[in-house]
């Protein structure tokens, strides 16, 4: 086992007793800066931090699979690499530094899973081709000329300019992106002004861009810069624009995904394999599958009976912990390339 891989990652290796491929599994373990609002005895004990995306489920599932597989080395062909990754939730993410530190050296295939409360316990979700979006961040500072709220004609109102920039940004996808492709621009934060009767000299806004197509990604970045600059100059202001590329789109390779599909039908039963639409969320597992073939799949964790119905990143996020059995079975099946029978309970 190696610790501090790429900074804070942990990588374990299990050598089988038969020759064969090297297969890697990845789990992430970071929490989110959210106050846990669940009324359960296992809620977070750390103020302002909770596992609101199920990464604790991912880690526990992979550890469980590793424990089982270590007891059956005679059935393993090749070797299994267990990647426990930090900082999936924070750009630039932990995947890049772990890859640079050699976590994929000699790896032939890689697989990852994510618990999902949009599908119920006992199901496994599969998305072909591009499964999750590329995610970028932009930060814009609009600079005007401050002054008295009663005399706007001698000022340059940065808040007003920001409102016009916001409107124009939202037309980029609808009017400058191929309608057969897709993208999302969301402004999530605007800060400007100090008092009700003062025209703000500076206003800041930040947002995110989600795309699946590399050309669309380039187009939206270019148009955000062009539109913002043009609007600001036309209204007498200026803009400082910072655009940060986040994770690339996550591509599921056909052959590994076919294995996932085939084995999932045995783990949960064919009627319980759900073929999902691509998610506009982002995942730095995308970096691994840019290096080696692999696939990322989704484990159903929703259960209305225990109020496990809230989406990922919600302060009441919870899952039915029995989903860990299905995640572990999938990893074990992929490791052994054998079909594990479905449970009646799922």
């Amino acid at each position: 086992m190696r610790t501090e891989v790429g900074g804070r990652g942990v990588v374990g290796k299990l050598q089988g007793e038969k020759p064969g491929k090297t297969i890697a599994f990845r789990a992430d373990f970071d929490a989110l800066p959210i106050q846990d609002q669940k009324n359960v005895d296992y809620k977070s004990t750390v103020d302002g931090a909770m596992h609101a995306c199920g990464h604790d489920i991912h880690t526990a599932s992979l550890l469980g699979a590793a424990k089982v597989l270590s007891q059956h080395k005679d059935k393993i062909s090749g070797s299994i690499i267990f990647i426990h990754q930090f900082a999936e939730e924070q750009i630039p993410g932990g995947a890049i530094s772990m890859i640079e530190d050699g976590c994929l050296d000699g790896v032939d295939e890689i697989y990852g899973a994510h618990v999902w409360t949009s599908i119920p316990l006992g199901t496994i979700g599969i998305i072909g081709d591009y499964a999750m979006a590329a995610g970028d961040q932009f930060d814009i500072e609009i600079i005007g000329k401050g002054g008295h709220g009663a005399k706007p004609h001698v000022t340059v109102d940065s808040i007003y300019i920001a409102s016009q920039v916001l409107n124009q940004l939202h037309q980029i996808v609808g009017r400058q992106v191929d309608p057969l492709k897709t993208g999302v621009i969301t402004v999530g934060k605007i800060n400007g002004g100090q008092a009700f009767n003062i025209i703000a000299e500076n206003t800041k806004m930040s947002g995110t861009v989600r795309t699946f197509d590399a050309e669309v990604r380039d187009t939206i970045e270019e148009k955000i810069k062009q539109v913002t600059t043009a609007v600001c100059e036309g209204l007498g202001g200026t803009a400082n624009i910072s655009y940060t590329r986040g994770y690339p789109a996550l591509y599921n390779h056909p052959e590994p995904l076919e294995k996932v599909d085939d084995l999932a039908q045995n783990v949960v039963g064919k009627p319980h394999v759900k073929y999902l639409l691509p998610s506009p969320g982002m995942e730095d597992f995308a970096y691994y599958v840019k290096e080696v073939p692999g696939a990322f799949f989704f484990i159903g964790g929703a259960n209305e009976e225990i109020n496990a119905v809230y989406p990922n990143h919600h302060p009441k996020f919870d899952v039915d912990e029995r989903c860990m059995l299905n995640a572990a079975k999938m990893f074990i099946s992929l490791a052994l390339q054998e079909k594990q029978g479905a449970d009646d309970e799922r």
Side-chain angles (χ1 to χ4, degrees):
M1 183 178 73
R2 293 174 60 206
T3 61
E4 300 181 1
V5 180
R8 290 177 282 123
V10 178
V11 176
K13 181 177 181 179
L14 179 63
Q15 183 63 52
E17 295 182 5
K18 303 175 184 178
K21 291 182 176 180
T22 297
I23 298 176
F25 300 128
R26 176 273 212 162
D28 40 15
F29 55 73
D30 50 336
L32 281 161
I34 299 173
Q35 184 66 40
D36 197 340
Q37 295 180 12
K38 294 192 299 295
N39 186 25
V40 294
D41 58 5
Y42 52 85
K43 70 182 295 183
S44 174
T45 59
V46 180
D47 240 9
M50 67 173 288
H51 277 288
C53 203
H55 295 187
D56 51 341
I57 295 290
H58 306 161
T59 296
S61 300
L62 189 55
L63 286 172
K67 182 176 181 180
V68 171
L69 288 168
S70 67
Q71 297 167 354
H72 298 279
K73 290 191 289 185
D74 59 312
K75 295 183 179 180
I76 296 174
S77 299
S79 57
I80 310 297
I81 306 297
F82 302 96
I83 299 172
H84 290 275
Q85 183 204 307
F86 64 99
E88 187 281 324
E89 293 286 359
Q90 187 173 2
I91 295 173
I96 293 176
S97 58
M98 291 192 71
I99 292 168
E100 290 173 348
D101 202 4
C103 75
L104 288 183
D105 289 356
V107 170
D108 297 299
E109 295 174 4
I110 187 166
Y111 297 89
H114 204 301
V115 66
W116 223 235
T117 53
S118 60
I119 54 177
L121 174 70
T123 60
I124 290 176
I126 291 176
I127 305 174
D129 200 34
Y130 283 98
M132 301 188 77
D136 302 334
Q137 177 178 335
F138 60 88
D139 298 280
I140 299 169
E141 180 185 21
I142 296 169
I143 304 165
K145 179 182 178 183
H148 199 291
K151 297 181 178 181
H153 61 291
V154 296
T155 72
V156 177
D157 189 341
S158 67
I159 291 179
Y160 174 74
I161 296 174
S163 72
Q164 300 306 303
V165 170
L166 177 62
N167 286 331
Q168 293 303 309
L169 292 181
H170 283 161
Q171 63 78 36
I172 291 173
V173 172
R175 285 294 175 266
Q176 300 189 60
V177 170
D178 184 339
L180 298 180
K181 299 179 181 179
T182 189
V184 174
I185 300 175
T186 295
V187 175
K189 182 171 67 172
I190 298 180
N191 294 316
Q194 300 295 325
F196 78 99
N197 60 347
I198 299 174
I199 288 176
E201 184 158 323
N202 297 74
T203 297
K204 295 181 179 180
M205 54 200 306
S206 298
T208 187
V209 174
R210 304 297 168 99
T211 55
F212 294 94
D213 182 273
E215 184 178 343
V216 171
R217 191 182 196 186
D218 291 341
T219 296
I220 290 179
E221 177 181 355
E222 178 186 358
K223 294 302 180 182
I224 285 175
K225 293 175 179 177
Q226 287 180 354
V227 165
T228 301
T229 300
V231 170
C232 289
E233 289 180 351
L235 294 173
T238 58
N240 295 323
I241 306 166
S242 172
Y243 194 98
T244 304
R245 292 266 176 141
Y247 310 153
L250 193 165
Y251 177 73
N252 275 329
H253 294 256
E255 187 174 334
L257 191 65
E258 186 177 344
K259 292 180 185 178
V260 169
D261 191 350
D262 185 42
L263 295 170
Q265 292 184 34
N266 287 270
V267 169
V268 295
K270 188 173 182 178
H272 302 283
V273 177
K274 305 297 182 183
Y275 300 97
L276 308 175
L277 294 173
S279 168
M282 62 180 184
E283 239 289 349
D284 76 344
F285 187 83
Y287 289 115
Y288 297 109
V289 288
K290 286 177 73 72
E291 300 295 324
V292 297
F296 195 72
F297 55 97
F298 302 87
I299 304 296
N303 183 352
E304 290 185 6
E305 293 179 2
I306 62 170
N307 209 31
V309 295
Y310 294 95
N312 300 61
H313 292 216
H314 191 281
K316 292 185 179 180
F317 173 82
D318 201 0
V319 301
D320 189 318
E321 292 184 350
R322 289 177 292 175
C323 67
M324 290 188 286
L325 294 174
N326 289 331
K329 281 184 178 182
M330 283 299 299
F331 288 132
I332 293 167
S333 299
L334 288 161
L336 301 178
Q337 299 292 294
E338 293 179 359
K339 299 176 180 180
Q340 308 291 306
D343 274 347
D344 290 336
E345 283 189 19
R346 290 196 205 32

